[in-house]
Amino acid sequence: MSTRVVKLTVINDFHELLTAIAQCKETLRLPLSFEIEHMPFRLISDACLKRSPSKIEKSVFYSHCLGKEKYAALESAISKWAEEKDIPISFRGVVSQSTHAHRLAQKAYQIGGQDLQLPLLSAIFKAHLEDGKDIAEFTVLAELAVGVNMMTKDEALEFLESGELEKEVNDLCDTARSKGITGVPLTIIDGKWAVGGGQSAEVYVQIFKKLAAAGVYSAPSPFTEPTVIETGICV
């Protein structure tokens, strides 16, 4: 049976959990292979951070942007989900701008495609959402680059200090917003269909089954209209 290559472009920021794609794609016995690319999005704008210190404790920031009651409900829901999935999500640490983390992720894709970018993304998410590290700090990012065998620490620091790919990241973020994207994650499938929000693994299971049933060649969309879910966070 021929294998269909599915291109997944995941537009996301590091303040949001990874989509459930990775949780389900490896477990399905379907004639599909995947090309996955992360594209940058800044969920929290520079203007939002400029109204407060450039780095602020997560609990303080989200309480201010969402309101104390809404933040408490969000924290409770995420904690419950994390416990069920055995993922040690932490609300420790600070909120800071994610531009440099996105630059490093784009560089990883340039160097080694998805085989290098995906491990780096996992390392960045873990550092920020589990370990409570500040992913705006060059030393933190450089150590993550070393950990996935992307660069030496000195090479990573040189890249981060150079400003390389900063314009490209800014342009990609601006383009996403100009197209009406205000909430992430947003997954673009084969450049045609969009799935918005932090969907469950089961949603992607059903999508992949429909794609496999459609065959290798182009076919009418097996999906309904694209869905974009607003986050409600300051943008």
Side-chain angles (χ1 to χ4, degrees), residues 14 18 101 104-105 108 116-135 140-150:
F14 296 108
L18 283 166
L104 193 64
L116 183 57
Q117 190 186 55
L118 292 177
L120 178 67
L121 291 173
S122 295
I124 295 173
F125 274 97
K126 182 179 185 300
H128 180 58
L129 295 174
E130 296 182 20
D131 302 334
K133 294 182 179 179
D134 180 5
I135 58 170
V140 170
L141 292 172
E143 289 169 359
L144 297 178
V146 172
V148 297
N149 297 316
M150 174 181 170

Side-chain angles (χ1 to χ4, degrees), residues 22 38 43 74 98 122 139 149 194 213:
H38 167 91
L43 188 62
L74 178 66
S98 56
S122 295
T139 53
N149 297 316

